[in-house]
Amino acid sequence: MEKLFTHLLENYEACVAVVLFVIGLCMLLFDRNLLKKVIGLDIMDTGTFLLLADRGYIAGRSVPIVTDGVTDMANYINPIPAGLVLTGIVVSVSVSALMLSLTVRIYKKYHTLDMDALYLMMSDRRKGGRV
Amino acid sequence: MSFVQNFPFFSIILCLLCAVATFVAGDKWGRRLTIGLLSVSIVLQSCVLWFCASNNTSYAYMMGHYPAPWGNEIAAGIIEPLMALLFSVVLLLSVLGGMDYILKDIPADRRHLYWSMVDLTLVSLLALSYTNDIFTGYVFIEICTIASCALLSAKDTGRTLIASVRYMVFALVGSGLFLIGVIFTYSITGHLLFPQLHETIAALWADGTYRFTMTVAIGLMTAGLAIKSGLFPFHFWMPDTYGRATPASSGILSGVVSKAYILLLIKVIYRAVGIEVFAASGIQSVLLIFGIAGMIVGSVSAIRSKRLTTMVAYSSAAQIGYIYMGLGMGTQAALLAAFLHIFSHALTKPMLFLSASRLADASGGHMDFPSLQGAGHRDVTAGVLFTAGALSMVGVPLFIGFIPKLQFASAAFALTWQKWPVLLALAVSTLLNVLYFLYTAMVLWLPQKDSAAFRPQERRWIASAPAMVLLAIGLVIGIHSAPLTALLQQGFALFCQY
Amino acid sequence: MRNEQGLFRHWLSGQVDWSAMLEQDTPAATTAAAEAVPYHPHHDMASARRAIRCGQRAYTVLAIVLCLIFSAFMLLTVANLPSYGSDSAPTVNEVAERYVEKGTEETGAVNTVAGMILDYRAFDTLGESFVLFTAMCAVTMLMNAPGKRRVRKLDYEVLDYYQDPIIRTVCKLVIPIILMFGIYILLNGHLSPGGGFSGGAIMASALIIYALVWGGERASRAIPAKALRIIVLCALGFYACSKTYSFFTGANHLHSIISPGTPGRILSAGLILPLNVAVGFVVCCTMYSFYMYFRRGEL
């Protein structure tokens, strides 16, 4: 148990990332407001990127940009997670834009962003069975 | 290297270029380009399939100048081009079959964007079939998600917007979980390509280090893809999504997009993680349980639904349950059955959606069962097509749906404790299928209530030709399934070997 | 009937009375068939409410349990990961080593990350630019409403930043500098931190400031929609074609005419510099068009 705890403290940055992910997920699950769901989604993505970025760090080394012709791995951190995070961020931006445009359209149409109300409006039982 | 081996890569690049060109071209040229692209894709995939099957080889194709652990790669054996071929064929036939509705449902000023999205869906499906790199898989999953959401929301009604939001929320949670799984896997293996992952994971598992992390990582990736393809507890987005979109989009989404996620999952399980590790991690049994639950719950929901397309959509949830049950059984015979079921579902579902909307059209635009009474008399072609699809879904011999059920049952006898639950689930689910599909087929052919209320609509029979082609392919496979089975079995040997 | 702003404030506080919405919504389309089955809104609503309340309670309990289990598993997994910042982690293997140690020699890029994403793992990055393109198409599909649904003037548009001499002068000064900084980041992507994605985003911010101050109409006259479309077409077409060449030669073991050049020079690193420029244009156009679609529904 104690070992577990020290490990958890060692990986504190990954812990924060996971907590962010769970906060985002909770927002997505519990908040009825569509806009806040989108925000939750973004927080979730941020948590993922933090986790990914933190996996690439190596203590005491510098950014992977070759300086003064030194190309020894012992001087630089791992470049792979940086590249993957870049991809992830672009994906996240695209997805947020799409979600926000859906939100805008729905708000213009129904004048509410409450998902429960929206589901109720489209549920079959409202129209006496005939649809 | 033979020139044919370049074709998977050519088809992917061609789709990308066509998508961009369609974005700038108008509706008319976009449509021509897209249909041309889909046909070319069918030809290219057939060539690759022919090459791989006749030489009995699989090969990895470097995307760039750097070999496996450093550069990106795509891989083709028999399974990959076969699935890519299936996806292209179903996509082409759904688009052609739903053309009337696309022209009716989607405003002219955004139709070229719809074509662009079809191209992008195709590129993601091809890339997901051929990818040999887990992160490439993630990128194309996202293209697939965004493009399919756009296909869905192209029909500009409030309900499709809400359905799209719901679909997106589920899909994005799924891809978030998948990405976290990929990160965990990467951080304990240091690799992203399937062959290297396979080696490292096998070594790690034998070694005993990071076993818990590995299990969670596999679980997250599986859960992510299961949510995206609509496995049982996460199937709630299906009825709205499939039931409200324009029929071509419904066919594409239910027929091929969900299958592409399942194909990626199969690749992750068999090529990256390795089936032994997957079985030992215990996630296999969880998949079996959720698959069986999905079969039952999906069918029960389908019985309770009051709308025709909602019913067909819920039956999709049940069929996805079958496929996951096959993955959960874990034997090669069960995998064969799962693949056959992918074929059966991908060929039958678009046909059902296309004919369902024709039947609704013949009933004054209503989808509920009282209005649909006798609809088969009003639109005979659509009625026959729907009935054939329903029989196939139930699993009547001669139709394609019979083959996977037979294979599932024969695969079940080789199992230990899973034998009786699987057989029981098959029996119960078939019974439930009979209940709702045959009930629907019966309603369609009952005498009409008030024949004066609906005028029979003039339909060119050519409009249902694509759906008939789907039916014909299904019948051919259903009557003579040996070549496909043999091809799949030949493919498995190449699929799991390095 | 509440107005739009009242409702807006209402949902900001997180509470929308959905029952009010329910009554507002128009009943089913009146066809001869629909009248046969009478529609009872009140009876319907009561049962719907009951079902929703039941569903919500079950959902909340399930979701809480799910979240708790999920976070526990995630924290346990994190505790079992290789330690943060350790140099003996499994990720520090031959893959990362080759990117750093041979990357400059093989790709010509001093910035190892740029070399990795645009040369070693270029297929991912090609897919990534197409994710942006897909999103751009999807947003266009949802938001584009030329002529038909003209957005009426909102409060913030009445507030004319252009009339304010301070804002106008500062923006005139700042926009060229931002643009230049973006281009610098774009062109130096293979030498220093940055590259197509960040450079493009910075360039887009300059365009967005222009549209914000000088107004959407003037911005779309200055940067016509057609030009944006053609830029995206050319950039993505060039990207796909040049990568086709390098993938094709790579996979078939042919000699490629692209040489990495002298690392450290501005004109080096083979295709990475032009690819960065192409990506930068795509990102810039996409971000700017996102802004314009959200602002006025057309480019």
Side-chain angles (χ1 to χ4, degrees):
Chain A
M1 194 67 203
E2 207 169 293
K3 198 166 149 246
L4 197 81
F5 197 66
T6 42
H7 254 292
L8 215 57
L9 277 183
E10 236 169 53
N11 279 338
Y12 67 95
E13 218 173 299
C15 281
V16 173
V18 164
V19 169
L20 268 180
F21 186 88
V22 173
I23 289 174
L25 192 69
C26 284
M27 247 175 118
L28 205 62
L29 288 177
F30 293 117
D31 213 302
R32 292 191 301 176
N33 189 321
L34 190 50
L35 198 63
K36 291 186 183 168
K37 273 187 200 281
V38 180
I39 295 170
L41 217 75
D42 273 348
I43 295 176
M44 214 169 89
D45 283 345
T46 314
T48 321
F49 304 147
L50 186 58
L51 181 68
L52 192 48
D54 128 87
R55 292 291 95 197
Y57 179 70
I58 303 169
R61 301 192 186 177
S62 69
V63 287
I65 290 168
V66 174
T67 37
D68 307 328
V70 183
T71 57
D72 191 14
M73 182 66 194
N75 293 310
Y76 305 106
I77 63 165
N78 185 355
I80 300 172
L84 302 188
V85 166
L86 185 60
T87 307
I89 290 173
V90 171
V91 167
S92 162
V93 165
S94 320
V95 162
S96 311
L98 178 58
M99 282 298 281
L100 286 175
S101 56
L102 277 171
T103 312
V104 168
R105 286 297 308 281
I106 285 181
Y107 186 73
K108 275 186 184 158
K109 195 142 203 149
Y110 292 100
H111 297 286
T112 175
L113 286 178
D114 186 335
M115 276 318 269
D116 288 349
L118 292 171
Y119 288 157
L120 197 67
M121 278 179 196
M122 71 181 290
S123 67
D124 287 348
R125 85 183 81 225
R126 290 223 44 252
K127 302 210 163 156
R130 186 171 286 274
V131 272
Chain B
M1 183 174 242
S2 164
F3 188 67
V4 181
Q5 282 169 289
N6 290 308
F7 283 3
F9 159 64
F10 284 168
S11 57
I12 291 173
I13 289 288
L14 206 61
C15 291
L16 292 177
L17 288 175
C18 270
V20 181
T22 314
F23 176 64
V24 183
D27 164 37
K28 209 161 144 196
W29 277 101
R31 191 186 330 164
R32 285 176 192 164
L33 257 176
T34 304
I35 290 171
L37 171 73
L38 286 164
S39 322
V40 169
S41 165
I42 291 174
V43 174
L44 291 179
Q45 313 314 332
S46 319
C47 290
V48 180
L49 180 61
W50 169 78
F51 174 83
C52 288
S54 59
N55 293 339
N56 197 21
T57 62
S58 64
Y59 64 94
Y61 185 90
M62 284 195 303
M63 297 298 262
H65 290 269
Y66 308 99
W70 296 285
N72 278 129
E73 232 179 31
I74 55 179
I78 289 177
I79 301 285
E80 290 92 347
L82 187 62
M83 296 312 284
L85 180 63
L86 173 75
F87 293 156
S88 312
V89 168
V90 175
L91 209 58
L92 177 65
L93 291 174
S94 315
V95 165
L96 285 179
M99 189 66 83
D100 301 4
Y101 291 96
I102 293 174
L103 299 181
K104 197 175 80 184
D105 288 340
I106 298 165
D109 58 336
R110 64 179 61 164
R111 229 176 277 145
H112 65 288
L113 294 169
Y114 186 85
W115 298 121
S116 195
M117 285 301 157
V118 173
D119 295 350
L120 286 164
T121 312
L122 178 65
V123 73
S124 59
L125 296 175
L126 295 181
L128 286 176
S129 318
Y130 284 115
T131 180
N132 207 22
D133 183 311
I134 204 163
F135 201 75
T136 312
Y138 168 72
V139 172
F140 283 94
I141 279 180
E142 291 292 354
I143 294 189
C144 198
T145 309
I146 299 177
S148 47
C149 173
L151 287 183
L152 180 60
S153 57
K155 182 180 172 181
D156 198 14
T157 63
R159 285 174 174 230
T160 49
L161 288 176
I162 299 172
S164 327
V165 162
R166 211 175 190 192
Y167 175 69
M168 275 308 268
V169 167
F170 274 98
L172 292 177
V173 171
S175 38
L177 293 181
F178 182 76
L179 184 57
I180 284 234
V182 171
I183 295 170
F184 283 155
T185 316
Y186 172 70
S187 68
I188 56 174
T189 58
H191 285 288
L192 290 166
L193 277 96
F194 289 155
Q196 280 70 34
L197 275 176
H198 187 79
E199 247 169 59
T200 327
I201 289 174
L204 274 180
W205 195 267
D207 202 24
T209 39
Y210 296 126
R211 248 187 212 190
F212 179 75
T213 313
M214 198 64 245
T215 312
V216 172
I218 300 170
L220 286 173
M221 286 192 281
T222 312
L225 290 171
I227 291 175
K228 286 178 90 84
S229 51
L231 182 62
F232 149 61
F234 307 105
H235 66 282
F236 299 107
W237 53 266
M238 275 183 153
D240 295 336
T241 308
Y242 296 164
R244 306 282 180 198
T246 182
S249 301
S250 303
I252 293 170
L253 285 175
S254 70
V256 290
V257 167
S258 56
K259 306 301 178 301
Y261 299 138
I262 295 176
L263 180 61
L264 184 66
L265 179 61
I266 293 176
K267 288 184 105 164
V268 168
I269 293 172
Y270 281 83
R271 287 178 66 87
V273 175
I275 184 67
E276 297 86 14
V277 175
F278 187 69
S281 68
I283 293 162
Q284 202 177 48
S285 316
V286 177
L287 269 192
L288 181 73
I289 293 165
F290 277 115
I292 288 178
M295 281 156 68
I296 309 292
V297 174
S299 297
V300 171
S301 312
I303 290 175
R304 292 182 54 189
S305 59
K306 296 191 182 96
R307 237 173 142 258
L308 186 62
T309 46
T310 313
M311 188 204 81
V312 178
Y314 269 126
S315 107
S316 273
Q319 310 303 325
I320 296 283
Y322 275 88
I323 299 171
Y324 275 99
M325 184 184 75
L327 294 185
M329 283 151 75
T331 59
Q332 189 161 321
L335 184 65
L336 174 70
F339 265 106
L340 285 171
H341 204 274
I342 291 179
F343 266 84
S344 134
H345 190 230
L347 289 170
T348 316
K349 241 332 112 68
M351 189 170 87
L352 282 176
F353 276 116
L354 293 175
S355 47
S357 40
R358 290 208 184 285
L359 290 171
D361 265 5
S363 315
H366 294 297
M367 285 271 186
D368 56 322
F369 292 114
S371 316
L372 279 172
Q373 189 178 335
H377 300 289
R378 295 192 285 271
D379 191 338
V380 180
T381 339
V384 169
L385 282 171
F386 191 92
T387 314
L391 290 176
S392 170
M393 281 286 146
V394 170
V396 175
L398 293 187
F399 290 95
I400 187 171
F402 174 66
I403 309 294
K405 288 201 178 176
L406 190 70
Q407 298 282 357
F408 273 124
S410 64
F413 281 107
L415 299 173
T416 50
W417 63 270
Q418 302 104 320
K419 182 157 96 184
W420 293 111
V422 168
L423 286 177
L424 195 70
L426 273 174
V428 171
S429 160
T430 306
L431 214 69
L432 293 174
N433 271 335
V434 169
L435 267 181
Y436 61 88
F437 268 124
L438 287 194
Y439 165 75
T440 317
M442 219 171 60
V443 165
L444 293 183
W445 297 106
L446 280 178
Q448 305 187 44
K449 259 190 307 198
D450 40 352
S451 46
F454 308 108
R455 269 179 290 111
Q457 292 184 325
E458 281 297 312
R459 284 243 171 253
R460 287 175 307 141
W461 67 271
I462 193 87
S464 2
M468 283 181 202
V469 174
L470 280 172
L471 176 64
I473 300 174
L475 276 175
V476 167
I477 297 177
I479 292 167
H480 190 56
S481 68
L484 182 64
T485 319
L487 199 62
L488 280 169
Q489 265 162 347
Q490 192 191 347
F492 291 148
L494 298 171
F495 193 58
C496 312
Q497 140 209 316
Y498 289 100
Chain C
M1 180 72 197
R2 283 168 291 186
N3 60 0
E4 209 169 300
Q5 278 220 318
L7 273 162
F8 182 79
R9 228 172 276 130
H10 223 71
W11 73 249
L12 263 186
S13 64
Q15 282 294 313
V16 165
D17 183 16
W18 43 263
S19 61
M21 298 299 146
L22 242 156
E23 279 149 338
Q24 272 176 35
D25 197 26
T26 47
T30 47
T31 54
E35 277 154 19
V37 181
Y39 172 65
H40 299 294
H42 296 294
H43 173 261
D44 243 18
M45 230 173 67
S47 72
R49 259 195 197 149
R50 213 176 309 122
I52 279 194
R53 211 171 298 140
C54 265
Q56 264 177 352
R57 211 168 293 150
Y59 173 80
T60 313
V61 171
L62 259 175
I64 288 175
V65 171
L66 206 86
C67 271
L68 283 179
I69 293 174
F70 181 74
S71 36
F73 262 95
M74 293 293 273
L75 285 177
L76 271 177
T77 318
V78 163
N80 277 313
L81 282 179
S83 343
Y84 171 63
S86 94
D87 53 359
S88 59
T91 44
V92 189
N93 57 2
E94 73 271 19
V95 185
E97 242 163 52
R98 174 155 174 183
Y99 289 161
V100 172
E101 294 184 348
K102 290 211 176 148
T104 313
E105 187 190 319
E106 283 174 343
T107 65
V110 174
N111 180 354
T112 322
V113 179
M116 180 204 137
I117 60 168
L118 288 170
D119 208 339
Y120 288 104
R121 299 183 60 84
F123 188 44
D124 281 358
T125 316
L126 182 62
E128 182 187 348
S129 332
F130 274 87
V131 172
L132 263 182
F133 171 70
T134 317
M136 186 180 166
C137 289
V139 170
T140 312
M141 197 183 237
L142 283 165
M143 303 291 286
N144 196 10
K148 245 187 346 200
R149 264 198 324 260
R150 184 70 69 183
V151 186
R152 64 194 161 76
K153 276 221 160 154
L154 296 171
D155 293 346
Y156 61 83
E157 261 179 315
V158 175
L159 210 158
D160 198 351
Y161 293 113
Y162 185 67
Q163 298 299 329
D164 190 325
I166 298 175
I167 291 181
R168 196 175 58 212
T169 322
V170 168
C171 284
K172 266 186 190 161
L173 272 174
V174 155
I175 288 175
I177 296 175
I178 297 180
L179 259 180
M180 233 158 57
F181 180 57
I183 293 170
Y184 167 79
I185 296 260
L186 196 73
L187 294 180
N188 278 284
H190 54 302
L191 301 177
S192 58
F197 291 100
S198 29
I202 295 170
M203 277 158 63
S205 71
L207 299 186
I208 289 172
I209 293 177
Y210 179 77
L212 195 66
V213 174
W214 273 266
E217 306 231 338
R218 186 150 169 204
S220 36
R221 251 179 289 133
I223 311 160
K226 205 168 180 189
L228 279 179
R229 251 179 237 136
I230 294 207
I231 290 174
V232 170
L233 173 74
C234 292
L236 281 176
F238 168 73
Y239 193 169
C241 291
S242 59
K243 272 297 140 194
T244 309
Y245 175 74
S246 81
F247 290 162
F248 184 75
T249 52
N252 292 290
H253 305 290
L254 301 172
H255 178 68
S256 167
I257 54 161
I258 296 149
S259 80
T262 320
R265 301 274 287 275
I266 183 86
L267 285 178
S268 67
L271 273 176
I272 293 181
L273 176 64
L275 286 184
N276 260 333
V277 174
V279 169
F281 276 118
V282 174
V283 173
C284 175
C285 293
T286 312
M287 294 295 154
Y288 174 71
S289 52
F290 282 164
Y291 174 78
M292 288 303 272
Y293 280 128
F294 278 101
R295 181 182 172 124
R296 60 196 295 261
E298 62 182 304
L299 278 175

